[in-house]
Amino acid sequence: QVHLVESGGGLVQAGGSLRLSCAASGGTFSRYAMGWFRQAPGKEREFVAAISVSGGSTYYADSVKGRFTISRDNAKNTVDLQMNSLKPEDTAVYYCAAKRYSSNYYDAVEYNYWGQGTQVTVSS
């Protein structure tokens, strides 16, 4: 059982930056691929970014490519999402998730464990 806790959300103006962090406990972190998803009010949860077990491969939604960067530290059991050039449409609750297998990073149903989410609000 892996327990995930997100932090770093908040209110920021358009064009600003935020860094989200997800701390994992209760499992062997280095065995899990990690992802970030987000859900805006009235919308379905959508893929944002993912990173492989080793950290050697990263994947991004087209909407955030070039602005967001995912990284992980297997020694600290953390995965971060650096978000730059934020836009009002990035406003959502952001969730950290872990999956056992290194495939199909984009589908939320493939992830086994989820955090409680952290709110990101970007004002125009």
Side-chain angles (χ1 to χ4, degrees):
Q1 186 78 12
V2 177
H3 184 56
L4 303 172
V5 178
E6 302 96 336
S7 61
L11 173 65
V12 64
Q13 288 188 332
S17 299
L18 280 175
R19 188 176 184 89
L20 305 184
S21 187
C22 174
S25 61
T28 305
F29 180 73
S30 60
R31 293 181 180 177
Y32 292 87
M34 301 298 296
W36 285 95
F37 288 76
R38 66 187 182 187
Q39 187 166 18
K43 295 187 177 181
E44 294 187 354
R45 190 170 297 190
E46 65 173 359
F47 171 80
V48 175
I51 189 165
S52 63
V53 167
S54 68
S57 298
T58 56
Y59 309 84
Y60 296 95
D62 288 342
S63 59
V64 307
K65 204 170 292 183
R67 300 188 297 122
F68 290 10
T69 302
I70 188 171
S71 61
R72 68 186 295 161
D73 187 332
N74 285 348
K76 296 182 178 180
N77 290 357
T78 58
V79 58
D80 291 348
L81 185 69
Q82 177 66 43
M83 305 186 296
N84 299 328
S85 302
L86 283 161
K87 305 174 181 180
E89 51 264 44
D90 295 318
T91 295
V93 177
Y94 283 70
Y95 297 90
C96 171
K99 67 189 304 293
R100 295 190 185 96
Y101 303 109
S102 295
S103 62
N104 197 4
Y105 293 95
Y106 303 91
D107 194 347
V109 300
E110 295 289 329
Y111 287 77
N112 306 103
Y113 303 103
W114 292 83
Q116 83 289 348
T118 185
Q119 177 70 46
V120 171
T121 303
V122 184
S123 63
S124 57

